[in-house]
Amino acid sequence: MIPPDIRKITTPTEAARARSFAAHLTASLGAPDIGRARFLTALTAQLRKSLGQGGAELTLTVRQSAPDKPVRVQAAVQPATPSPGQASPWRLALSCPGPLTQDPPCPAHPDATATASAEALLAADEETAAVLQKLDESEKLLQLHREELHQTNQGVLALHAELDAAALTQQELLDAERAARGEAEKARRLLTFLANASAVVTASLDHRDIVRRLPDLLVPEYASQVDVWLFDEDEETAGNDLHSAAAVAAARTDRPQHAGPHPGDLPGIDDRPPSALSPDRPLLCIPLTVRRSLGVLTLTAPGDRFDADTSVMLLELARRVAIALDNALRYEQHRDTAEELQRAQLTDLPSADGLHLAARYLPATRGLNIGGDWYDAFFQPDGSLLTVIGDVTGHGLRAAVIMGQLRTALRAYAIDETSPARILTRLHRMLCHQQPNLYATATIARFRPDDPQVTWAAAGHPPAVVRAPGGAVRVLDDRPGVMLGVPIPFEYEDRTTEIEPGSTLVLYTDGLVERRAQGIDAGIELLARTLAALDEPDLEDLDASAESLLKPLVHESERDDDVCVLLCRTAPLRSP
């Protein structure tokens, strides 16, 4: 602990001496140049300020709390005339590394020589030079740091630019991948729809049903409205006033047409002005053409325009719809022709004393399965009445033609032959000779006036069923002969069955009783139960009884095969 240095400062000289003493003191204690310069500068400023206030008292105190602690130099300036509100002296401290000695610099006295003042001035210049040197070094170091910071900033900016470019490239790749996935998903969705829609339109052989299904398929995703214009081959412009100009142009040019407020620029499609029937939304009119022009499919856009990829899919769908319509129309024409031929060859039933006849023919409704079943009834020269039921294998026009040939041949053979078995035998030989790859089944039953017995013969045909007047039903299930046309020699045999007056004999084809899932036996049992359930009064009207017999056995909606039924009812005994 060194005693404090206290001195009065009333003149600039005293202030300079005090400053010089403080400089020597801090220098001897090894104070850092920058900190020392700041300390001295602040002290000088305060002394100068105090001189303007009439002087001051400067106290310099040197302390060291412990030998290993830094030395603390503290300056306290107490103005002779304190400013208002200034209660305590001005203080400033400086930490010096030391060491602290017991011989501090001697304080300057008034009688000091000019040499001492010069030395103090030179010491001040040295201090200033040291400070400036430190400042230069700091400036150089600062400049170096600035350059390093600039280079770092440039590197960071370049890195950011590279990162931004990489992020942009990655985003572009992600966008491209997303777009590619979107396109692939869109293509997959369009192809899936095309496959499903094709399966729907090709599943039906009814052209009206195909047309009815199109709106359900296309609305609302691919069209807001669907119109199908079908026309005859020789009248392609029929009903033009009911259709748009684009549809008429499509029918005449056989090219797809787009009519809208703006060009569609769709591949393979001609652009036309907007249609008066749809001025706000575009129309896409696609001709339905296979071998010939069947009509025009007109679609109203679901939004402002038709998408290019969707329009390609719609063109392909229209092509498949045209194929389905052409198949359906050809099938319907073939079926109608076969049905007309079939019905034309079904005879009117004759009237006979003591015997009532009723027949029903129902064509197949599913597939081209018509043309093979027939029934017949006619008188022989001896007055006998022959009733016939038959079924030709195969379907369509060829089956109908063969059926007509068999019917004609049977009638011809029946002129010379009275036996049902011999008639079947001759039919069998004829079919084996003329149609070796075609087969048929048949049952012939012969009724003679006033004879309770019925003579019959069967060639591979389902057994006849007889209902007695009391409701008892029996199946004539004697083993039938082989099918007509089977390539083996065969002689059929006559069988005789006694039928009571008022009994009903039912001849039928397999379409009445055979079902794919159940077989024929279950159908014959159902036929027997249905026949037994008929009331006697109902049997008086044989046509109504035929309808009652068909209802539980034949589905009204769909039939896989023709159905023929021939009812033969003998007159009941009259009460005396």
Side-chain angles (χ1 to χ4, degrees):
M1 179 74 179
I2 298 177
D5 179 77
I6 303 173
R7 57 181 71 200
K8 298 288 187 179
I9 306 299
T10 57
T11 65
T13 302
E14 293 174 342
R17 291 173 181 167
R19 194 259 183 206
S20 176
F21 176 77
H24 283 288
L25 177 63
T26 54
S28 65
L29 295 175
D33 293 341
I34 300 298
R36 181 166 169 267
R38 288 177 179 173
F39 178 83
L40 294 175
T41 301
L43 177 62
T44 302
Q46 186 62 34
L47 292 176
R48 189 182 300 113
K49 179 180 178 182
S50 299
L51 290 175
Q53 296 176 349
E57 183 182 82
L58 170 63
T59 303
L60 292 175
T61 305
V62 179
R63 289 190 180 88
Q64 187 176 23
S65 59
D68 57 343
K69 300 293 184 181
V71 178
R72 182 179 177 82
V73 178
Q74 179 175 306
V77 178
Q78 179 66 48
T81 307
S83 301
Q86 183 179 0
S88 58
W90 176 86
R91 298 179 188 278
L92 182 64
L94 175 65
S95 294
C96 303
L100 179 63
T101 65
Q102 296 298 323
D103 298 322
C106 296
H109 294 283
D111 56 354
T113 63
T115 302
S117 300
E119 291 177 354
L121 180 60
L122 291 175
D125 289 341
E126 291 176 358
E127 294 169 0
T128 303
V131 170
L132 291 175
Q133 182 180 0
K134 293 290 184 181
L135 289 176
D136 289 341
E137 293 175 356
S138 299
E139 183 65 25
K140 290 179 180 179
L141 185 61
L142 180 60
Q143 182 64 28
L144 179 62
H145 289 330
R146 285 176 178 172
E147 291 178 359
E148 292 179 351
L149 180 61
H150 177 71
Q151 293 176 359
T152 302
N153 289 339
Q154 292 298 320
V156 170
L157 291 176
L159 179 60
H160 283 176
E162 292 177 359
L163 291 176
D164 290 342
L168 180 60
T169 302
Q170 184 179 15
Q171 185 62 42
E172 291 175 351
L173 291 175
L174 290 175
D175 292 342
E177 180 183 3
R178 190 178 297 110
R181 287 182 178 178
E183 292 295 328
E185 175 61 23
K186 180 180 179 182
R188 185 199 64 79
R189 180 172 54 83
L190 291 176
L191 290 175
T192 301
F193 171 79
L194 179 62
N196 294 337
S198 300
V200 170
V201 298
T202 56
S204 177
L205 286 174
D206 183 348
H207 77 279
R208 296 181 183 85
D209 183 53
I210 295 173
V211 171
R212 283 193 298 267
R213 294 182 182 188
L214 288 178
D216 295 336
L217 291 172
L218 296 169
V219 177
E221 185 171 1
Y222 299 105
S224 60
Q225 185 175 347
V226 176
D227 177 69
V228 181
W229 173 23
L230 297 179
F231 40 74
D232 295 332
E233 184 176 5
D234 297 329
E235 296 180 1
E236 295 185 358
T237 59
N240 288 354
D241 55 334
L242 302 177
H243 303 280
S244 65
V248 175
R252 289 177 176 171
T253 63
D254 200 27
R255 284 186 53 83
Q257 305 291 321
H258 173 272
H262 306 286
D265 296 329
L266 302 176
I269 300 175
D270 298 337
D271 279 316
R272 298 182 61 84
S275 170
L277 299 179
S278 180
D280 300 328
R281 289 197 177 187
L283 296 181
L284 183 59
C285 303
I286 309 173
L288 301 173
T289 305
V290 187
R291 288 174 297 274
R292 60 188 181 92
S293 186
L294 302 176
V296 177
L297 172 64
T298 300
L299 306 175
T300 305
D304 317 354
R305 56 184 295 115
F306 283 100
D307 177 73
D309 294 336
T310 302
S311 67
V312 173
M313 182 275 294
L314 293 174
L315 291 180
E316 176 60 20
L317 177 61
R319 186 185 70 83
R320 300 186 184 189
V321 169
I323 294 174
L325 287 172
D326 184 62
N327 290 338
L329 291 171
R330 294 176 63 199
Y331 158 77
E332 290 168 1
Q333 181 182 14
H334 196 170
R335 182 196 61 191
D336 294 343
T337 302
E339 184 177 346
E340 289 177 5
L341 178 61
Q342 176 86 354
R343 291 189 180 279
Q345 298 186 92
L346 296 176
T347 56
D348 294 332
L349 297 177
S351 300
D353 294 336
L355 185 66
H356 299 286
L357 301 176
R360 288 293 183 274
Y361 168 72
L362 299 177
T365 58
R366 183 186 290 120
L368 194 59
N369 293 337
I370 59 175
D373 294 13
W374 91 95
Y375 65 84
D376 200 358
F378 56 91
F379 288 104
Q380 291 184 288
D382 65 353
S384 300
L385 180 66
L386 285 186
T387 57
V388 183
I389 196 87
D391 186 2
V392 175
T393 59
H395 303 284
L397 285 175
R398 184 168 182 266
V401 170
I402 297 300
M403 179 271 291
Q405 294 176 358
L406 287 178
R407 172 180 172 274
T408 302
L410 189 150
R411 281 183 170 244
Y413 296 149
I415 295 176
D416 298 328
E417 299 286 354
T418 59
S419 166
R422 288 196 294 270
I423 295 174
L424 288 178
T425 300
R426 296 184 68 176
L427 278 178
H428 175 62
R429 293 172 183 169
M430 183 271 291
L431 201 57
C432 288
H433 176 68
Q434 295 185 356
Q435 302 288 343
N437 296 320
L438 193 67
Y439 311 106
T441 66
T443 296
I444 302 176
R446 185 185 66 196
F447 294 86
R448 285 182 170 169
D450 302 325
D451 186 351
Q453 290 187 335
V454 174
T455 302
W456 59 276
H461 201 79
V465 179
V466 180
R467 181 190 186 279
V473 175
R474 56 194 172 99
V475 179
L476 304 183
D477 54 359
D478 296 32
R479 184 175 180 180
V482 299
M483 293 178 64
L484 298 173
V486 174
I488 58 173
F490 192 82
E491 296 285 340
Y492 295 91
E493 297 179 1
D494 284 329
R495 302 186 184 278
T496 301
T497 299
E498 186 170 344
I499 296 181
E500 302 176 41
S503 296
T504 303
L505 174 68
V506 181
L507 305 177
Y508 57 91
T509 58
D510 58 356
L512 179 68
V513 295
E514 188 173 23
R515 299 293 178 267
R516 293 180 181 176
Q518 300 175 350
I520 195 170
D521 293 337
I524 294 175
E525 292 177 3
L526 178 59
L527 172 61
R529 291 196 302 271
T530 305
L531 186 60
L534 295 177
D535 296 331
E536 289 294 333
D538 295 337
L539 289 170
E540 294 296 331
D541 186 351
L542 207 56
D543 287 314
S545 298
E547 294 293 337
S548 301
L549 197 62
L550 289 174
K551 285 182 180 179
L553 287 135
V554 178
H555 296 288
E556 295 182 358
S557 57
E558 296 289 337
R559 291 185 297 276
D560 294 327
D561 200 0
D562 291 9
V563 175
C564 266
V565 179
L566 179 59
L567 275 61
C568 310
R569 176 175 169 78
T570 60
L573 292 175
R574 299 297 181 182
S575 301

